[in-house]
Amino acid sequence: MRRAVFLLAALCAAAAALIAASPAPRRTPSRAPGPPLDFSGVWEIDEKASVNVPAQMQGAVLAVTQKGN
């Protein structure tokens, strides 16, 4: 029993060391300053790039008119 506890403690310590040694995740930089994004237009669903498109959404078209940010 003591040996099992020792092995478990050693595994936990090794895992903690690996986690501590891994680099911190990088944050994605925010968008560079520039003109505001404008999503105005007619958007058609790309069924090849989409996953589990319901029958009601097949061939869907969305018209967007954006005003402001």
Side-chain angles (χ1 to χ4, degrees), residues 4-6 10 14-15 18 27-28 32 35 44 46 55 63 65 67:
V5 171
F6 175 77
L18 285 173
R27 294 187 68 198
T28 304
E44 186 174 338
D46 184 353
T65 303
K67 295 178 182 175

Side-chain angles (χ1 to χ4, degrees), residues 36-53:
L37 295 177
D38 185 1
F39 292 98
S40 296
V42 177
W43 298 83
E44 186 174 338
I45 191 166
D46 184 353
E47 294 175 27
K48 292 179 184 174
S50 302
V51 179
N52 298 327
V53 178

Side-chain angles (χ1 to χ4, degrees), residues 22-35:
S22 65
R26 285 199 248 174
R27 294 187 68 198
T28 304
S30 60
R31 192 173 83 76

